[in-house]
Amino acid sequence: EKGGYEHFMLKEIFEQPRSILDSMRGRLELVAGHLNMGGIRAYERKFMNADRIIIVACGTSWHAGLVAEYLLEDLARIPVEVEYASEFRYRNPVITERDIVIAISQSGETADTLAAIELAKSKGATIFGICNVVGSSIARATDAGAYTHAGPEIGVASTKAFTAQVTVLTILAMIVGHKRGTLSDTRLQELMVELGSIPAKVEKALLLNDEIELIAETFKDVPNFLYLGRGYNFPVALEGALKLKEISYIHAEGYPAAEMKHGPIALIDENMPVVVIATKDSSYEKVVSNIQEVKARKGRIIAVVTEGDTVIPPMAEFVIEVPATSEVLVPLVSVVPLQLLSYHIAVLRGCNVDQPRNLAKSVTVE
Ligand code: M6R
């Protein structure tokens, strides 16, 4: 059942070229040159006229929500708020009938997310669900939605569900942006082609597995880790840190790279590994400066860069090269080495990777 892999988590990480493709199936029609998403058809007008979108989720699904905030604001120019379901539900939030609430959940059973949906529903908002488990409670509680089709995810640490969520949210943002006229035909076509090439790029990123295992060997006994990223890679930094802490029990923090100087920089010394996601995008130059700041304090830099980068490698102790893609799609590729890094560190520490202590696959209590 683990298909020859030692753990479900590793199997699921390696399934991503396929699961991402499955999440696009019937939605990305490259030959015909258009996108479909059955779930939004009846709500197209609503999305076109939305004043804002509120995204509710927990954990990794919340990170996918953060990526969606960048996507929807960039491509569809709709203001987005991303909320932890547990905070949203108890905060007397301002919600109106004009709001669209997107709930994201792999299991579709997360108690806080379900309660946030019920609250938003009672205020008249339209609820759109993005779930992996078909027929789950959240899928049933929403007005409309799209399944991620990632297939069953057994490992407690979410991996392929995350990339499937981001894929579906990307397609959603592209459709809505195109309908609203904020995403031109040409840009849409370019992005579609690029999206179509993502499974192959993820496949390529997976070839880094052995290299990453060696990096894991170096850092397996450290007590702390810092993850930094900007823009689309900021949620990826958060996700990398979450993956590491939940399965290896190493304390890890994800931060927007520029926020480091407002506090976390005090943690950096010659013992602190800092994973910087520094792909070639609009914040690249800024991230290079952030790497210099870490280096000046002797932090140990593990840099995730775009293939062919010659500027960052001399500054880093370890370099992980991922294939180039469009900035808006980069999380789908840059998250992969971070999943592998946390996996190998946890295995080397003898942790129970698929069932980490104190955690459950679906959190059905608040
Ligand atoms: O099933 P859900 O997506 O609603 O679950 C949300 C979180 O409990 C989940 O993402 C959790 O953070 C994972 N263990 C992360 O790997």
Side-chain angles (χ1 to χ4, degrees), residues 226-241 253-258 274-281 283-288 290-291 301-306 309 312 318 320 322 330-339 341:
L226 202 56
Y227 286 73
L228 304 176
R230 297 177 81 127
Y232 282 91
N233 281 321
F234 160 53
V236 176
L238 296 182
E239 176 59 7
E253 290 194 46
Y255 253 90
V274 185
V275 177
V276 190
I277 308 121
T279 50
K280 285 246 166 78
D281 53 38
S283 42
Y284 176 74
E285 304 293 336
K286 302 272 177 200
V287 179
V288 170
N290 298 136
I291 292 178
I301 295 156
I302 304 150
V304 177
V305 302
T306 303
D309 187 317
I312 296 176
F318 290 99
I320 299 171
V322 293
V330 95
L332 292 167
V333 179
S334 60
V335 75
V336 174
L338 306 190
Q339 296 169 339
L341 182 65

Side-chain angles (χ1 to χ4, degrees), residues 10 30 32 44 52 63 119 122 128 174 209 234 252 270 293:
L10 191 62
L30 273 181
E44 239 165 46
R52 67 167 176 171
H63 296 155
L119 174 68
S122 73
F128 191 82
M174 285 164 71
N209 190 38
F234 160 53
E270 66 281 7
E293 289 157 14

